[in-house]
Amino acid sequence: MSQLLSGTDPQAIATAAALLRAGEVVAFPTETVYGLGADALKERAVAQVFAIKNRPHFDPLIVHVSDQDTVALYATDIDERAVALMTHFWPGPLTLVLRKRSNLPDLVTAGLDTVAIRVPAHPVALALLRAAQIPIAAPSANPFGYVSPTTALHVQELLGHAVPLILDGGPCTVGVESTVCALTEKQAVILRPGGVAVEAIEAVIGPVAFASPSQADARSPGTLLSHYAPHVRLRLLVPGEPIPCPAEGARIGLLLFKPHPHVVGYAVTEVLSQDGNLTEAAAHLFAALRRLDAAGLDAVLVEPVLEQGLGRAIMDRLRRATAR
Ligand code: AMP
Ligand code: MG
């Protein structure tokens, strides 16, 4: 069983950094979700991350670094758009896909000639990066395809048997994965909506394109259709569709964006935001899915949210969770 240590304890950070430097895998908090980290320059350590997650080797990892200046060690062709986005959104939930340097093992990038890189906005993640002084390759700390963990306890439940140390940094404040933006072509392309709103990115670099689902699958495997999925069957209501009464005798759960006082008959109801706030809803999404999954339900109905700001990332994850 793994040790669970407070990420605010400098001794715990030092222990985690030493483990990483020795080629071990450590779970740590970021503002998006908890990550399963390894030294990005050590192929064996990275291979262990894939093994623990049961993650296919065609699915590249995001490389986390402590600051903007470090990016040039692992990526090339860092143009004005990249600098502008880094300056605006880092530390933060924006991952940039750039041309990779050859010092990064191919396993990290799944053989692609590009690298996905970001500076996370979590004090524990930043303290760990600074103490370890290595780039940390880290996917979400969950078995491949399942809902990402947003608390240290989630990680312990999912992977406690497989990692020596989990740093606890409290619940993740963003709660959905980073936005992935590719800058390898003239046209910036959003490969995955996430914690930074696309509108905010466009305000900095102008209009972006969206990868179509099939393109996204090839270029950004984290966008595989059935991803982030709980085990219970989910049905996403059509926008505007009234919330139906559940059939008698069935144990149906309800995942609501905001409170609906007159809805009755559901075995379990989860409300993502009391005042219909998309940012708050994103932060609560995965934990709510996890509770619904554990409630022994026959199915879960899901209220859609508006596809703007963080609503895009929420709907993206909900669609994947319902695609099976
Ligand atoms: P995760 O670590 O689970 O949040 O997922 C990381 C995701 O980032 C991958 O599954 C890809 O979708 C995306 N990604 C990572 N590296 C690259 C890359 N070099 N090119 C395109 N997308 C990438
Ligand atoms: Mg993941």
Side-chain angles (χ1 to χ4, degrees):
M1 207 55 185
S2 50
Q3 256 193 308
L4 184 66
L5 298 178
S6 167
T8 54
D9 173 6
Q11 195 53 54
I13 296 288
T15 304
L19 283 169
L20 285 173
R21 293 186 66 91
E24 300 281 336
V25 171
V26 167
F28 66 100
T30 79
E31 80 281 26
T32 59
V33 301
Y34 273 70
L36 190 62
D39 182 344
L41 301 175
K42 286 199 173 74
E43 194 144 37
R44 278 188 60 146
V46 174
Q48 231 183 311
V49 169
F50 280 94
I52 291 173
K53 270 187 73 86
N54 200 13
R55 181 170 171 124
H57 284 198
F58 57 75
D59 197 358
L61 306 182
I62 293 171
V63 175
H64 297 73
V65 292
S66 58
D67 57 79
Q68 194 172 324
D69 295 341
T70 308
V71 174
L73 296 179
Y74 310 112
T76 62
D77 302 3
I78 302 165
D79 61 17
E80 271 172 32
R81 297 171 304 176
V83 172
L85 289 174
M86 292 175 192
T87 308
H88 263 85
F89 298 110
W90 284 3
L94 174 65
T95 297
L96 298 180
V97 174
L98 301 165
R99 297 253 156 255
K100 126 189 214 301
R101 284 193 190 275
S102 54
N103 56 351
L104 275 180
D106 282 333
L107 185 56
V108 174
T109 60
L112 298 171
D113 57 2
T114 56
V115 56
I117 197 158
R118 80 177 187 106
V119 176
H122 193 295
V124 174
L126 287 172
L128 182 61
L129 283 162
R130 288 186 192 124
Q133 294 194 314
I134 47 169
I136 301 180
S140 48
N142 55 293
F144 181 71
Y146 190 59
V147 183
S148 299
T150 52
T151 67
L153 222 53
H154 294 163
V155 181
Q156 195 160 44
E157 283 165 22
L158 294 166
L159 297 178
H161 56 281
V163 292
L165 174 60
I166 301 169
L167 287 177
D168 189 347
C172 301
T173 51
V174 174
V176 289
E177 290 84 351
S178 57
T179 303
V180 180
C181 178
L183 295 176
T184 45
E185 312 279 334
K186 229 182 174 145
Q187 171 70 66
V189 182
I190 301 297
L191 299 178
R192 173 176 78 181
V196 169
V198 173
E199 294 87 338
I201 292 172
E202 290 189 317
V204 176
I205 59 165
V208 297
F210 289 88
S212 70
S214 59
Q215 277 178 324
D217 279 3
R219 278 194 265 172
S220 192
T223 57
L224 286 173
L225 197 54
S226 109
H227 211 69
Y228 311 104
H231 301 295
V232 66
R233 196 162 53 84
L234 304 184
R235 182 167 87 79
L236 195 53
L237 294 169
V238 181
E241 182 181 348
I243 293 158
C245 283
E248 196 115 356
R251 267 181 66 77
I252 309 293
L254 185 61
L255 179 60
L256 292 174
F257 169 44
K258 52 186 182 311
H260 286 261
H262 302 301
V263 171
V264 289
Y266 286 88
V268 183
T269 301
E270 289 281 347
V271 179
L272 292 177
S273 169
Q274 286 304 319
D275 55 0
N277 176 302
L278 287 167
T279 305
E280 189 191 4
H284 294 154
L285 177 65
F286 288 148
L289 283 175
R290 185 180 303 276
R291 283 191 296 271
L292 288 164
D293 210 16
L297 299 165
D298 298 318
V300 174
L301 287 189
V302 182
E303 178 186 26
V305 306
L306 218 55
E307 298 214 38
Q308 64 182 37
L310 285 202
R312 251 191 255 267
I314 296 174
M315 286 301 283
D316 173 78
R317 304 306 185 270
L318 286 175
R319 287 211 184 85
R320 288 177 213 293
T322 51
R324 249 176 306 162

